[in-house]
Amino acid sequence: MSDMTSKERCDEVSEEDDQPAATVNQVHHKPPPDGGWGWVVCLGAWMVNFLTVGQQNAAGVVYSALLNEYSTKRGETAWVASLASSMMYLFAAVGTSLAERFGSRLVVIIGSFVSASGLLASSFATTLTPLYGSYGIIWGLGASLGLFPSLVILTKYFRRRLALASGMALAGAACGTLVYGPVIQLLVSKYGISVTFRILAAVQSLMFLSGLIFRPVESHKARRDREREKNGNIFKNKAYVIWVASLCVFMLVFLVPFVHLVRFTEDKGINTTKASLLTGYMAFGVLMGSIAFGIACDHPRFNRLKVCQLSLLLIAISSSLVTMANKYVWICVYAFTFGVFDGCYEMLVPVITRDIAGSQRVAHAIGLLYCMMAFPKTLGPPIAGWLFDLSNDYSVSFYVTSAVTIIATAVMFLLNWVPLHKDRMEMEENEMHSPKITDEPSHESVYDGLGINLTPESDDSVTRRWLPIYWVESRGEYEYREKLTVL
């Protein structure tokens, strides 16, 4: 028995149904590969982001096209893009729950055809109202079933390089925005909005290719055992509650630049073609920010939480300064700056959620988080449109965006004084075999900085991996460290 490998032990225990669920689950749990096929999965997640978030980020171009096509008010027209993005978030819990139960592969394939159907139905709309259902709800649902299972599966394949993998996947959204903005503008000007929706439907159906490469990393039995174990209420985790609250506040204004910046620029006398390029500058910023901050935030002494707080603060400052821009070049600078820090923020959301909630509850935590973010996210663009209708000036909308983002940052700072939830700590402790405790360090040992020797005894059957944890020290501040554990 002592000569058996770790994999063989897991396989043997998986066949013993009479063992307690917690015991089976503990042996089933394997360290993420952090490479190998995981990079192919990362490519699939890149494509999903390209097709879903890329199109969502081109909402400003779609919004302007709908205004010209139907000659409707800005407030009611903004509901189309706002509903689409909000439904994407609202069904996040559905997508992640289905992915945990049936696997990400099947859910993403279904999502590809649902979203394509919504776009195809939109092409037959002769008034604005049907688009609320076809584009806003159906496409949003399909995009959700594709996007969030792809986020969850990254947490299965990566741990030490999770920030980098998340950043690389998010780069697909940036590349999609670079392509979707100018292409939609070109298609609308040449063929009209109806034909454009049909072409987009054909492209959206390609998302099923990503689903095909989302190979599961655990058996159906292991998933069922883990589902039985994680029935606790995640809202008992105070850090998670504060994290959700801060992001929900930010969601009130998150979409305002994406939806209204193009029209804001056109109102300053800039032609439509140049204004549509702003989504490209945003996308390039997201591409740079997600990759650069993804690499940095995997460093063991790089505090992910404070990087996220700084990103939101700089988004707030830049959103207030853009109102003073009188030249096109300064609006371009804002678009790029917003993109860089938005890329950082969006890359860190699933990563920090995993750090706060734990590996066993990450899918549940991510799904609930994005679901609750959907409600305030729905309100932002219509409110900004109504503020313009009342004041005839977009400056008010961007000032409100800045103020609300600062409030969200202030709420997030409360995390610096909230201890790690005991369930989260126990979960990580259960993933560790008992380490040796020594009084004096040696050059052959690995310590976590708290006097605990984490170097395991020599055993070929164990696998070492890096596990990110936020430790709370006496000064009341989260300090991000890497902790070497053993499975």
Side-chain angles (χ1 to χ4, degrees):
M1 182 68 176
S2 60
D3 295 332
M4 296 177 64
T5 66
S6 178
K7 181 178 184 300
E8 290 171 337
R9 293 183 186 181
C10 290
D11 292 339
E12 179 178 296
V13 175
S14 67
E15 297 173 358
E16 301 177 7
D17 294 336
D18 56 341
Q19 293 194 25
T23 304
V24 174
N25 186 66
Q26 183 176 355
V27 182
H28 268 296
H29 183 77
K30 299 179 183 179
D34 264 313
W37 187 258
W39 296 117
V40 181
V41 171
C42 190
L43 176 62
W46 181 95
M47 180 179 290
V48 172
N49 275 269
F50 181 96
L51 295 172
T52 57
V53 184
Q55 181 166 325
Q56 173 199 267
N57 290 351
V61 181
V62 175
Y63 168 74
S64 185
L66 294 178
L67 280 176
N68 295 331
E69 178 75 14
Y70 300 111
S71 301
T72 49
K73 292 183 178 180
R74 301 189 184 201
E76 60 180 323
T77 306
W79 272 106
V80 175
S82 181
L83 272 175
S85 180
S86 299
M87 291 302 106
M88 183 191 298
Y89 277 39
L90 183 63
F91 290 107
V94 176
T96 56
S97 297
L98 291 175
E100 285 289 278
R101 185 172 180 85
F102 301 107
S104 295
R105 172 182 290 171
L106 177 62
V107 180
V108 171
I109 291 174
I110 294 174
S112 69
F113 292 108
V114 172
S115 57
S117 299
L119 290 171
L120 183 61
S122 299
S123 68
F124 297 101
T126 56
T127 61
L128 184 69
T129 303
L131 292 177
Y132 295 146
S134 59
Y135 189 89
I137 296 177
I138 299 177
W139 180 82
L141 170 62
S144 181
L145 295 178
L147 177 62
F148 295 103
S150 71
L151 295 180
V152 171
I153 200 169
L154 288 178
T155 67
K156 312 293 185 184
Y157 273 90
F158 293 93
R159 181 68 54 81
R160 184 168 60 89
R161 299 188 178 100
L162 180 57
L164 175 59
S166 179
M168 292 176 64
L170 182 61
C175 295
T177 308
L178 284 169
V179 173
Y180 268 96
V183 168
I184 290 176
Q185 182 68 47
L186 176 64
L187 291 175
V188 169
S189 62
K190 191 170 183 179
Y191 300 109
I193 192 67
S194 296
V195 175
T196 299
F197 277 136
R198 290 168 193 167
I199 295 173
L200 292 176
V203 174
Q204 193 76 63
S205 63
L206 297 176
M207 190 167 64
F208 86 96
L209 295 175
S210 296
L212 294 178
I213 63 178
F214 284 170
R215 189 169 66 194
V217 294
E218 59 184 357
S219 66
H220 291 293
K221 178 174 175 56
R223 284 200 295 268
R224 289 197 304 269
D225 292 334
R226 180 159 42 79
E227 285 291 328
R228 285 198 297 266
E229 189 183 58
K230 64 169 189 177
N231 291 327
N233 186 357
I234 196 171
F235 290 104
K236 292 181 180 179
N237 186 332
K238 294 180 181 178
Y240 179 75
V241 172
I242 294 174
W243 176 241
V244 171
S246 64
L247 295 187
C248 285
V249 172
F250 180 51
M251 282 301 103
L252 284 169
V253 294
F254 173 70
L255 279 181
V256 171
F258 289 108
V259 175
H260 292 288
L261 185 62
V262 172
R263 201 67 179 190
F264 167 78
T265 306
E266 292 175 355
D267 289 348
K268 287 185 173 289
I270 308 299
N271 65 65
T272 303
T273 302
K274 293 180 70 175
S276 66
L277 292 177
L278 291 172
T279 58
Y281 294 123
M282 276 188 184
F284 186 67
V286 171
L287 180 63
M288 299 293 291
S290 60
I291 297 296
F293 284 106
I295 294 172
C297 289
D298 273 333
H299 191 276
R301 297 196 181 277
F302 220 87
N303 192 304
R304 295 170 176 172
L305 185 62
K306 290 186 176 177
V307 171
C308 187
Q309 293 166 346
L310 179 63
S311 296
L312 292 188
L313 185 59
L314 292 175
I315 286 175
I317 294 173
S318 60
S319 295
S320 62
L321 292 177
V322 73
T323 60
M324 296 183 286
N326 293 320
K327 295 183 179 180
Y328 177 70
V329 64
W330 291 114
I331 302 177
C332 293
V333 170
Y334 165 74
F336 176 78
T337 303
F338 178 89
V340 168
F341 295 110
D342 173 55
C344 175
Y345 153 77
E346 294 200 58
M347 176 273 297
L348 284 174
V349 168
V351 178
I352 295 178
T353 302
R354 186 254 163 238
D355 289 343
I356 291 175
S359 58
Q360 297 300 301
R361 294 180 179 175
V362 60
H364 185 52
I366 288 176
L368 283 177
L369 169 65
Y370 281 99
C371 178
M372 286 182 288
M373 288 163 61
F375 296 101
K377 193 175 184 182
T378 307
L379 302 176
I383 290 175
W386 289 330
L387 287 174
F388 176 86
D389 291 336
L390 292 173
S391 63
N392 203 32
D393 186 0
Y394 269 120
S395 296
V396 176
S397 299
F398 281 93
Y399 285 139
V400 171
T401 297
S402 179
V404 173
T405 305
I406 290 175
I407 294 173
T409 308
V411 174
M412 192 179 294
F413 266 98
L414 295 176
L415 284 168
N416 293 330
W417 294 277
V418 175
L420 202 64
H421 190 252
K422 69 175 184 177
D423 290 345
R424 170 72 171 89
M425 297 179 70
E426 289 172 0
M427 196 177 303
E428 302 302 347
E429 289 173 1
N430 289 337
E431 292 179 353
M432 299 172 59
H433 290 206
S434 298
K436 292 190 299 182
I437 307 243
T438 61
D439 295 327
E440 296 293 332
S442 68
H443 67 280
E444 297 177 349
S445 302
V446 179
Y447 285 77
D448 70 345
L450 300 177
I452 300 179
N453 186 351
L454 296 169
T455 304
E457 297 180 358
S458 179
D459 187 349
D460 293 335
S461 67
V462 300
T463 303
R464 296 171 178 82
R465 67 179 176 84
W466 291 102
L467 175 65
I469 290 181
Y470 286 97
W471 289 101
V472 181
E473 298 195 333
S474 58
R475 64 178 179 269
E477 181 182 61
Y478 276 109
E479 181 177 343
Y480 175 74
R481 297 183 178 182
E482 293 280 357
K483 187 172 181 180
L484 185 64
T485 65
V486 183
L487 292 179

